[in-house]
Amino acid sequence: LMKRTLYQSAQLEEFAAEFHDEFIIVKNPEDVLELVEKRKADKHVIGGLLGIEGAHALEGKMENLEKAFEAGVRLIGPMHFFDNEMGGSAHGISGEGLTDFGKEVIRRMNELNMIIDLAHASPKMIEEILEMSSKPVMVSHTGIRAVLNSPRNLSDEQIRKIAAKEGIIGIAFF
């Protein structure tokens, strides 16, 4: 999985090079500002942020987080459809929160200013990440538990906690 992550990161770099200044890979705040300025002059300019949905690609190794960051990855969702070395998925079996490895990854992601995407994380993991993260978090795609009672959806309390951290919530309509 890590090899695939590195390959896809290299492919994005090649794609950006082919489009010269019309495609900007966003890796830091300065890149966002550059994108905004370039779009003022040319609406064809777009930006891309490299992310991983589910930290399975880390394969339980901290050095893989460093490799992913060096390759340009700036957003990681700890979970997707299965539990992994970081902890429990909303769809998984364990219902766990963060493992010791998961806590180490979250701390390092904060240090690197990486975006933590809580989509697909178990309710317990969401709570633990909200408690320990020193940075805003996001939920790229989710639902609202008051509308559909599912562990995949956010409770009103979780929504308030994410908002209090100045986070972002993307609501998916199915």
Side-chain angles (χ1 to χ4, degrees):
L1 295 175
M2 191 66 227
K3 285 181 183 178
R4 182 171 68 185
T5 297
L6 298 176
Y7 171 77
Q8 290 173 337
S9 298
Q11 289 297 110
L12 184 64
E13 291 286 347
E14 285 182 29
F15 179 82
E18 288 175 23
F19 285 88
H20 309 289
D21 288 338
E22 289 189 339
F23 181 76
I24 297 170
I25 300 174
V26 176
K27 296 181 181 177
N28 54 51
E30 293 78 22
D31 293 339
V32 174
L33 295 174
E34 177 187 357
L35 175 62
V36 169
E37 285 305 310
K38 286 187 175 183
R39 281 194 50 83
K40 286 178 184 176
D42 182 355
K43 294 294 182 191
H44 292 101
V45 175
I46 61 171
L49 177 77
L50 192 54
I52 299 173
E53 185 173 32
H56 311 281
L58 300 182
E59 299 171 339
K61 300 174 186 168
M62 280 304 293
E63 61 265 23
N64 284 341
L65 176 63
E66 302 297 331
K67 287 179 187 177
F69 183 81
E70 288 301 316
V73 173
R74 294 299 183 266
L75 178 148
I76 297 179
M79 296 293 119
H80 197 223
F81 285 114
F82 306 99
D83 299 341
N84 66 25
E85 294 89 353
M86 285 191 69
S89 166
H91 317 279
I93 295 170
S94 74
E96 285 182 15
L98 288 164
T99 62
D100 289 341
F101 173 71
K103 291 173 186 172
E104 189 177 356
V105 169
I106 296 301
R107 276 191 290 277
R108 184 66 180 137
M109 286 180 71
N110 277 181
E111 291 169 4
L112 294 170
N113 290 315
M114 295 180 79
I115 300 167
I116 301 166
D117 184 355
L118 299 177
H120 299 284
S122 71
K124 187 173 180 183
M125 179 176 278
I126 289 172
E127 295 299 324
E128 291 179 0
I129 290 173
L130 287 171
E131 278 184 32
M132 77 172 291
S133 179
S134 61
K135 306 284 182 174
V137 298
M138 75 174 300
V139 187
S140 60
H141 56 290
T142 189
I144 306 299
R145 201 169 295 161
V147 175
L148 178 65
N149 188 13
S150 165
R152 169 75 176 82
N153 294 341
L154 296 175
S155 69
D156 290 350
E157 182 180 343
Q158 290 168 329
I159 292 167
R160 282 190 282 278
K161 287 180 179 180
I162 293 166
K165 277 195 151 328
E166 299 179 341
I168 296 172
I169 300 171
I171 304 298
F173 292 91
F174 300 103

